[in-house]
């Protein structure tokens, strides 16, 4: 138990430190014209900041694996569940990066992507949505011993969690803040088991990116929002009961459908508590 707590702390702190250092080091890459976007205040800055999360997780997990080869933390070094969390991290970040690089504002939401498909156009958003669904099916099928109906339900949970992360990413720090709130009960359930340890470096790296996100040095982008939402969704699938997963799935379906008609930003601004949380740490409007 004690070894697990120490390992969790090292992985989490390692993720934070790696992200803080890499965010500065990667500034020239993120300043490339292809990654420049205007944010909610019409300021131009780098998007796809989630690239930093991926790089930080690679550094931490690479160091963890190397140390295990020398007998340090060998008993905590590998598991199928860890591999699943890491694959979700990289795959969903890649799908989000496609949208960050090539996406446009022309087709938004489920309706926009479906209408584009009806006219023979495959949008980057549709690639992200359907690609995320396929990745989610592969991931939720990996442990085996699950019925076809449950498999599709769990895959939908992961894909919709990833999409909700994208939907929240409309203001600095918003996706990370609300994602961390969702992470607290997940962390309590996962503890220092394989999923909890795999999450530690990912969540740590995401926390390390929060100052840059709030300071508007970069935007999390679909790369980061897609990644964070998917990893949290997968952790719910791997660590909770069928009843809990069904309840979460229903909530995700409602929120994703509601986004087609309701502005989350408007709801947050009208709701005390949510408004204060959303604005905490952000720069004041010009």
């Amino acid at each position: 138990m004690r070894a697990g707590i120490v390992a969790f702390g090292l992985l989490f702190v390692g993720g934070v430190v790696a992200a803080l250092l890499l965010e500065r080091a990667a500034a020239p890459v993120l300043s490339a014209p292809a990654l420049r976007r205007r944010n909610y205040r019409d300021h131009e800055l780098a998007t796809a900041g989630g690239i930093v999360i991926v790089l930080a997780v690679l550094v931490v997990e690479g160091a963890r694996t190397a140390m295990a080869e020398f007998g340090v933390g060998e008993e905590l070094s590998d598991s199928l569940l860890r591999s699943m969390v890491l694959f979700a991290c990289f795959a969903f970040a890649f799908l989000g990066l496609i949208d960050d690089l090539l996406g446009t504002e022309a087709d938004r939401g489920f309706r926009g992507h479906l209408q584009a498909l009806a006219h023979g156009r495959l949008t980057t958003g549709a690639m992200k949505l359907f690609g995320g669904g396929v990745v989610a099916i592969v991931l939720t099928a990996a442990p085996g011993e699950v019925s076809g109906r449950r498999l599709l339900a769990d895959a939908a949970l992961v894909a919709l969690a990833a999409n909700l992360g994208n939907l929240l990413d409309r203001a600095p720090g918003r996706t990370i803040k609300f994602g961390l709130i969702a992470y607290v009960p997940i962390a309590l359930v996962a503890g220092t088991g394989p999923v909890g340890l795999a999450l530690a470096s990912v969540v740590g790296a995401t926390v390390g990116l929060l100052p840059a996100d709030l300071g508007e040095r970069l935007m999390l982008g679909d790369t980061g929002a897609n990644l964070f939402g998917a990893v949290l969704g997968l952790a719910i699938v791997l660590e909770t009961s069928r009843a809990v997963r069904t309840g979460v799935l229903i909530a995700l379906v409602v929120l994703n459908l509601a986004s087609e008609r309701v502005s989350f930003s408007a709801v947050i601004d009208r709701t005390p508590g949510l408004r204060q949380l959303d604005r905490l740490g952000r720069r004041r409007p010009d």
Side-chain angles (χ1 to χ4, degrees):
M1 178 67 177
R2 184 177 178 181
I5 294 174
V6 172
F8 178 90
L10 289 174
L11 290 167
F12 186 90
V13 173
V16 173
V17 173
L20 287 171
L21 295 175
L22 286 166
E23 182 264 319
R24 296 292 185 175
V29 175
L30 293 174
S31 64
L35 291 176
R36 305 298 290 182
R37 297 290 186 275
R38 293 193 174 276
N39 69 357
Y40 77 116
R41 298 197 308 147
D42 202 33
H43 285 200
E44 187 178 83
L45 63 158
T47 189
I51 293 172
V52 175
I53 300 175
V54 175
L55 293 174
V57 170
L58 281 172
V59 169
V60 174
E61 293 295 333
R64 175 183 176 184
T65 302
M67 290 174 65
E69 292 300 316
F70 289 96
V72 180
E74 187 175 5
E75 70 280 4
L76 303 171
S77 66
D78 201 12
S79 75
L80 172 62
L81 299 181
R82 175 196 176 198
S83 299
M84 290 171 63
V85 171
L86 294 179
F87 179 71
C89 175
F90 303 143
F92 279 92
F94 171 73
L95 292 169
L97 180 60
I98 293 175
D99 209 16
D100 281 333
L101 287 172
L102 305 174
T104 68
E105 296 293 323
D107 304 294
R108 305 295 296 179
F110 291 113
R111 184 180 303 173
H113 299 313
L114 291 175
Q115 287 176 344
L117 281 175
H119 290 86
R121 291 189 297 109
L122 180 62
T123 66
T124 56
M127 292 180 192
K128 181 179 63 181
L129 288 171
F130 296 123
V134 172
V135 171
I137 290 174
V138 172
L139 286 167
T140 52
E145 300 180 5
V146 62
S147 67
R149 186 176 299 175
R150 187 71 249 177
L151 170 66
L152 293 178
D154 287 344
L157 189 158
V158 175
L160 289 174
N163 195 57
L164 182 59
N166 291 318
L167 294 172
L168 288 171
D169 190 32
R170 296 292 181 269
R174 181 179 293 171
T175 294
I176 298 178
K177 290 175 185 175
F178 284 94
L180 289 175
I181 292 172
Y183 170 66
V184 171
I186 296 171
L188 293 175
V189 173
T192 58
V195 174
L197 292 179
L199 279 177
S201 60
V202 179
V203 177
T206 306
V207 170
L209 202 62
L210 183 58
D213 194 5
L214 289 172
E216 298 183 29
R217 294 195 298 272
L218 52 73
M219 289 187 281
L220 193 62
D222 285 359
T223 306
N226 210 41
L227 177 165
F228 197 31
V231 169
L232 293 178
L234 179 61
I236 292 171
V237 169
L238 295 176
E239 290 291 335
T240 63
S241 66
R242 180 186 294 262
V244 171
R245 301 200 307 270
T246 299
V248 172
L249 175 60
I250 292 172
L252 287 171
V253 169
V254 170
L255 288 171
N256 275 271
L257 290 178
S259 71
E260 296 290 310
R261 294 184 175 275
V262 177
S263 166
F264 286 171
S265 292
V267 172
I268 290 170
D269 283 340
R270 291 196 304 264
T271 308
L274 291 181
R275 181 173 62 248
Q276 284 75 15
L277 173 64
D278 190 50
R279 295 181 180 179
L280 182 65
R282 275 167 46 180
R283 296 173 58 182
R284 293 180 179 274
D286 294 335

